[in-house]
Amino acid sequence: MPKDSRARTLAIRSVMDETGLSYSRAALYLDQQSAGRPARGPVGQLGVQPLLLSASVPAVADRRALAQGLADQLHTLHREATGETYAGRADVIVPARPWEADPTRPGYVDALLLVHAWAVRPYDREGEPDSVVNDFYAVAKAWIADQHPAAGRGGGPAILPVQWPVAKVLAERAAVAAHTAGDHEELPEGWAELIAARTAEMTPADGEPRMPDSAVQGMVLPGMVPNSAGGPGKTSMVWDADGQGQLTAWAPGAEAPQAPLQDSGAPAGPEGDEAEDVDLPYRVVDGSFQGWYRRSGDGRYDADSGYRRGLETSTYEQLAAARGPLRPVKPPTAEESAAVKAALAGAGRKAVATLLVAVFRLTEQDAVARRTEGAQSWLLAGREGSHESASLHQLAWSVGCDLSEKPGRYDAAAVAELVRVITGWVSGPDRYVEVAANLAGLFGDVADEAGGWAAVADRYMQRHQRVGHPDEVVEAVQRYLMSQSSTHVHE
């Protein structure tokens, strides 16, 4: 067997230092990261998320000071679920419309702000745009609460992502415009050119049709319609730009307003071939364990991390022909769920270690296969970009690997049963079962039924112990496995 080069040896030893893996397993991990897969780290594209933010503030609040103060806060974002911290910048615009009195609080008004939230993120990753919105909202909510304690209905501001045409109409009517300044006025390297280019892309050229103000009237914002993907209990919002442009809540169950208008003025809706595609699965996994999800706009499919892997948007038929067989992503059966829960419940206080050892063995099995396409692990293909998938993959290598060499801490029979069930989830011919979130959900059920974390984790996996895993490791495992539990992880 040829010796590893000096550069490769140094890279492997760096992985060993970072993860605690043995040399051979660190080499597998390194190969998995580099063999056609993206390197872990800050990657993505600069994008902007237009948001409407409504907050109840004192009637005497200065509009310019409010806009500038908020813009100055939106420079660094933190995502609690993954521990990521990344740079952001914001334009905060106050549309030229009166701030109406808050009928629930004398002396307060409902302030309406338009926020252009800029950040470099992997926006084609499923759920990433929503996560960016939540990250900006967390900062805005904390700052407004600090400036105006207990302000706002329900204890805080409301935020609503909007389409660029709506944001453009409001921005053109701006009374005040503020930009992130102070210690963070200077943009990160390269951002100025990227922002200029991105803004140019969003600005219609001369002669191109522009969205008339009347087109905004009665617009139902996409993804916020009752009975849409969020479910029948989802509150929707309607932006009505007629008159003063009142932002109102659309109560679930009420008669829906008119459909969104296309450029022709006709109500939007499926026609022709698109109408026949309504039964196509939302998510599929191809023959190379690459996940694809259906776009809401035109029904075609985008790949998880597609822009980094050079995968183009495709129709279902194109995918089936070029990358089949395609398997729809489905939930586990009742029998499979019962088998997983029985194995974990039977493991008792070894349940945590048992699950982590099982996912490590499956992850290592896939790494040994040295696939050159698809998801980082065959366990992730059902929803590669999710927080649960990222946690499962990292914990499999960093914690599960270590536990696999300590047979006294896991239940071998339960590990074998979990491996059997999960192998069926990812290798069955007719479907693929998303692994990370389903495992977390089933584990949470078992933990709740057993009485909480202490009943499913041994003493080495408890916090504040003089022996065992460091607290930060325990908390990382808890954040993943108890993410769908009704029991607080820091009980």
Side-chain angles (χ1 to χ4, degrees), residues 12-190:
I12 293 172
R13 294 201 179 281
S14 177
V15 172
M16 291 172 65
D17 292 340
E18 180 182 348
T19 63
L21 296 174
S22 65
Y23 186 92
S24 60
R25 283 171 170 164
L28 278 174
Y29 184 87
L30 181 66
D31 290 342
Q32 187 185 39
Q33 295 296 101
S34 59
R37 292 165 170 74
R40 301 175 73 87
V43 293
Q45 300 168 325
L46 182 72
V48 59
Q49 295 285 103
L51 318 167
L52 278 177
L53 187 144
S54 177
S56 182
V57 301
V60 296
D62 181 84
R63 293 187 175 206
R64 187 172 299 279
L66 182 66
Q68 189 63 61
L70 178 58
D72 290 348
Q73 298 299 310
L74 299 174
H75 56 76
T76 304
L77 293 310
H78 178 73
R79 188 168 300 172
E80 186 68 28
T82 61
E84 294 176 86
T85 297
Y86 60 95
R89 293 295 186 271
D91 310 314
V92 179
I93 297 164
V94 180
R97 61 180 292 272
W99 284 356
E100 299 182 357
D102 182 342
T104 67
R105 306 189 67 205
Y108 278 70
V109 293
D110 285 326
L112 182 67
L113 305 171
L114 173 66
V115 179
H116 292 169
W118 295 91
V120 173
R121 300 297 300 166
Y123 287 103
D124 71 338
R125 184 170 68 188
E126 185 187 12
E128 182 61 27
D130 289 341
S131 295
V132 171
V133 170
N134 291 335
D135 295 341
F136 273 90
Y137 174 62
V139 177
K141 180 178 180 180
W143 181 78
I144 290 174
D146 179 68
Q147 297 295 306
H148 307 290
R153 300 187 182 109
I159 200 164
L160 176 69
V162 296
Q163 286 187 314
W164 187 253
V166 178
K168 184 175 182 297
V169 170
L170 294 176
E172 289 173 346
R173 301 170 177 171
V176 174
H179 313 280
T180 304
D183 293 339
H184 301 275
E185 182 172 9
E186 184 176 351
L187 293 172
E189 184 178 356

Side-chain angles (χ1 to χ4, degrees), residues 280-281 283-292 301 314-329 428-432:
L280 291 178
R283 268 197 162 274
V284 296
V285 173
D286 68 23
S288 299
F289 288 98
Q290 172 65 53
W292 299 77
Y301 286 81
S314 305
T315 65
Y316 185 88
E317 291 74 18
Q318 289 170 332
L319 280 181
R323 302 184 63 91
L326 302 181
R327 292 178 290 162
V329 176
D430 302 321
R431 59 169 187 148
Y432 181 103

